[in-house]
Amino acid sequence: MSRIAVLNSFRLLKGYTVWKTMDVFSWRSFIYLLVFSHLITPLVSLFVWQTVTAEGQVVGGWGSNQFMDYYLAIVLVRQLTVSYEHHMLGMQIYNGELTNLLLKPHHLLYVVIGENLAVKIVSYTVSIPLLMALWIWLSPESTLSVTRIILFILTVINACILRFLWLYLLTLAAFWTEKTQSLVNAGEVAIFFIGGEVAPLFLIQGGFGDWLYYLPFYGMLGFPAEVLTWTSGISILHGLALQYGWIGILVLCSTFIYKKGIKRYSALGG
């Protein structure tokens, strides 16, 4: 791709992001409600593990302070990687608005990514102050280094891309069924249970626990959190390879499903 093409793509994406941000602000109360809902579940897990490790109890070598640091990192990762494609793209497919988008002289992804970034910008206006207040209130003992912060930013960006592609792939099922919301909810549940939110993955013993480190959900949630807290035994190379590998797989899968879905959409008169 030439430099001019890259610049044009950037300007197009920037334009959609600015336009969609103004649109999303009109229903920001809904976004803020979702931000609070994403805040509750990891905090519940945090308080559960704080109770379990009260009075000096240790689980898997972790005490109260380690669980607090980890779950504060989970809260941070969840809020930074938030993605709501099913609320926008799914409805556009159902009500026929997708037809207008397909008539534009560029790929649909520019609109979808622009909406995704717009939702992130609006959600950050409330989630970042909340996270700062939560961090000050709980006062974790973990000390951050410049290296850890840089690695965390890199892994969170990868996690954002992974989560976006995962939910985008599930949302494309709207070409075939009106039960997309249930499918997306199942995908979110998978992230919750086997991404490292219910419990750090190292606590899940046996062969099944080992396999969880090779699924994309660890790269979406647990791995960036472990980078920020610098969990003992973490493999940066494994985590980055996992993230980039699954990004490639999800890009291929979503491209294939999109092409099949567009053919079906056109055939049905969309």
Side-chain angles (χ1 to χ4, degrees):
M1 184 180 293
S2 66
R3 181 182 177 183
I4 295 177
V6 172
L7 290 175
N8 288 336
S9 296
F10 175 77
R11 292 192 186 101
L12 186 60
L13 186 58
K14 178 183 176 183
Y16 270 115
T17 301
V18 173
W19 171 44
K20 290 296 181 180
T21 298
M22 293 186 290
D23 181 44
V24 172
F25 256 111
S26 65
W27 42 282
R28 58 188 178 276
S29 58
F30 173 68
I31 298 296
Y32 292 163
L33 181 63
L34 291 176
V35 167
F36 281 103
S37 68
H38 279 284
L39 190 66
I40 292 172
T41 51
L43 286 180
V44 170
S45 297
L46 168 61
F47 294 136
V48 168
W49 285 107
Q50 287 289 290
T51 302
V52 171
T53 56
E55 300 180 358
Q57 297 295 320
V58 176
V59 178
W62 277 19
S64 177
N65 291 333
Q66 286 79 15
F67 278 106
M68 179 179 290
D69 292 345
Y70 177 79
Y71 276 102
L72 282 177
I74 288 289
V75 170
L76 182 59
V77 174
R78 276 183 64 96
Q79 294 295 339
L80 293 178
T81 60
V82 64
S83 195
Y84 301 116
E85 278 65 51
H86 52 290
H87 291 296
M88 295 171 286
L89 179 59
M91 292 305 301
Q92 289 168 340
I93 295 174
Y94 292 148
N95 59 28
E97 291 182 14
L98 184 66
T99 302
N100 296 328
L101 298 178
L102 293 176
L103 293 175
K104 297 183 181 297
H106 53 72
H107 198 281
L108 174 66
L109 267 179
Y110 284 102
V111 182
V112 178
I113 295 175
E115 289 178 335
N116 183 274
L117 294 176
V119 170
K120 281 181 167 57
I121 291 171
V122 175
S123 68
Y124 288 171
T125 61
V126 67
S127 64
I128 290 180
L130 278 174
L131 291 170
M132 292 174 64
L134 186 64
W135 196 274
I136 294 172
W137 175 44
L138 295 176
S139 301
E141 296 184 357
S142 178
T143 302
L144 301 178
S145 65
V146 175
T147 302
R148 282 165 61 181
I149 292 174
I150 293 174
L151 285 173
F152 176 70
I153 293 173
L154 173 61
T155 55
V156 162
I157 291 174
N158 293 338
C160 284
I161 298 172
L162 258 180
R163 189 162 185 168
F164 165 76
L165 288 171
W166 172 243
L167 295 181
Y168 171 66
L169 177 63
L170 296 179
T171 302
L172 291 177
F175 285 116
W176 290 271
T177 177
E178 294 184 359
K179 303 296 183 181
T180 307
Q181 183 65 55
S182 299
L183 189 60
V184 170
N185 288 340
E188 292 278 17
V189 169
I191 299 174
F192 173 72
F193 276 104
I194 56 181
E197 183 170 340
V198 171
L201 294 189
F202 76 89
L203 293 179
I204 304 176
Q205 302 297 322
F208 177 70
D210 295 337
W211 276 104
L212 296 183
Y213 285 97
Y214 294 92
L215 297 179
F217 313 113
Y218 172 63
M220 296 178 195
L221 194 59
F223 175 56
E226 290 181 2
V227 168
L228 186 62
T229 57
W230 209 250
T231 301
S232 177
I234 184 175
S235 172
I236 301 297
L237 291 179
H238 167 80
L240 290 175
L242 174 81
Q243 287 184 322
Y244 289 124
W246 276 106
I247 286 173
I249 292 172
L250 291 178
V251 166
L252 292 175
C253 290
S254 58
T255 300
F256 175 78
I257 296 298
Y258 173 79
K259 290 180 179 179
K260 292 292 183 180
I262 288 299
K263 290 180 180 179
R264 176 180 173 82
Y265 183 80
S266 301
L268 293 176

